[in-house]
Amino acid sequence: MGLLISAILLSIGVSWYEFQGKERQEEVKKNEQKIFEFEEEDIQKLTLIQNKDILQFERTNNPERPWKMTQPQSTTANDAVVAFLLNLLVEGTSDRRFTVPASQLKEYGLEKPFATIIVDLKNLKTHQLQLGLPNYQDQLIYAKVADRKQPEAEILLVSKDFQFALDRELKEWQDHTDTGERQNEK
């Protein structure tokens, strides 16, 4: 009899714990907010600024090679690399946002961001994401959706995948399959 009561109490405890866990997960998901509210197909042009390097990509009408690099060189872009970054921009979320005075942007690496991503949409709207320092756990990056100068700035914590997406050599952004095919033809 005592064993039966223990089993019932244990199952009630486990059910309550799981219910609480689901509520917490739902609360976290509710707090997660998309960085931007546009779709990948809406993006017409992408500009990446890191240090003094500027990379620019434009959408093409070719479904097999949807992106071309226009700066610093005019060439076909590596679609996989561009798609990775686009996915982060479209699907990226932030579960923590807070406001700081503009004078404190330096503390988050956003006075002079390590990278700025400028997205031009087909509807002629432009969005900008500035990326700063990693957080103290080195798991997320401080970011700011750039807009006109304001006395306060909203800081977001975004995935460190943004850093992985941007820390690439120029040749990684370029599609080299064309040159490989031409060399094989010779």
Side-chain angles (χ1 to χ4, degrees), residues 100-114 130-134 142 144 153 155:
V100 298
S103 60
Q104 291 181 1
L105 288 175
K106 186 176 184 178
E107 295 173 30
Y108 302 96
L110 293 165
E111 186 178 67
K112 294 180 182 175
F114 87 83
Q130 297 174 336
L131 301 170
L133 296 171
Y142 293 110
K144 177 181 177 291
I155 307 293

Side-chain angles (χ1 to χ4, degrees), residues 122-177:
K122 290 179 182 177
N123 66 6
L124 303 179
K125 289 186 179 180
T126 300
H127 297 276
Q128 199 175 117
L129 182 68
Q130 297 174 336
L131 301 170
L133 296 171
N135 68 342
Y136 66 93
Q137 297 165 330
D138 199 30
Q139 294 176 341
L140 300 168
I141 297 175
Y142 293 110
K144 177 181 177 291
V145 175
D147 47 19
R148 58 191 175 281
K149 298 250 183 207
Q150 295 182 344
E152 292 189 333
E154 183 180 50
I155 307 293
L156 300 83
L157 280 164
V158 299
S159 170
K160 193 147 184 189
D161 287 343
F162 277 100
Q163 182 178 352
F164 304 138
L166 296 173
D167 280 348
R168 299 179 183 276
E169 297 290 325
L170 177 62
K171 64 183 177 182
E172 293 179 72
W173 291 99
Q174 301 167 336
D175 183 9
H176 296 285
T177 57

Side-chain angles (χ1 to χ4, degrees), residues 44 58 78 95 102 118 128:
Q44 183 60 39
E58 288 184 19
N78 182 334
D95 66 343
I118 303 168
Q128 199 175 117

Side-chain angles (χ1 to χ4, degrees), residues 38-47 55-71 74-79 82-87 89-90 118-123:
F38 53 75
E39 300 298 322
E40 188 173 326
E41 328 46 86
D42 298 334
I43 301 172
Q44 183 60 39
K45 187 165 87 174
L46 190 62
T47 304
L55 302 178
Q56 198 164 62
F57 303 90
E58 288 184 19
R59 186 178 295 278
T60 69
N61 293 325
N62 183 348
E64 293 178 21
R65 298 179 193 268
W67 289 95
K68 69 178 178 180
M69 177 185 279
T70 58
Q71 190 176 339
S74 183
T75 186
T76 306
N78 182 334
D79 291 325
V82 173
F84 178 56
L85 179 57
L86 293 178
N87 187 338
L89 290 167
V90 171
I118 303 168
V119 179
D120 294 314
L121 303 178
K122 290 179 182 177
N123 66 6

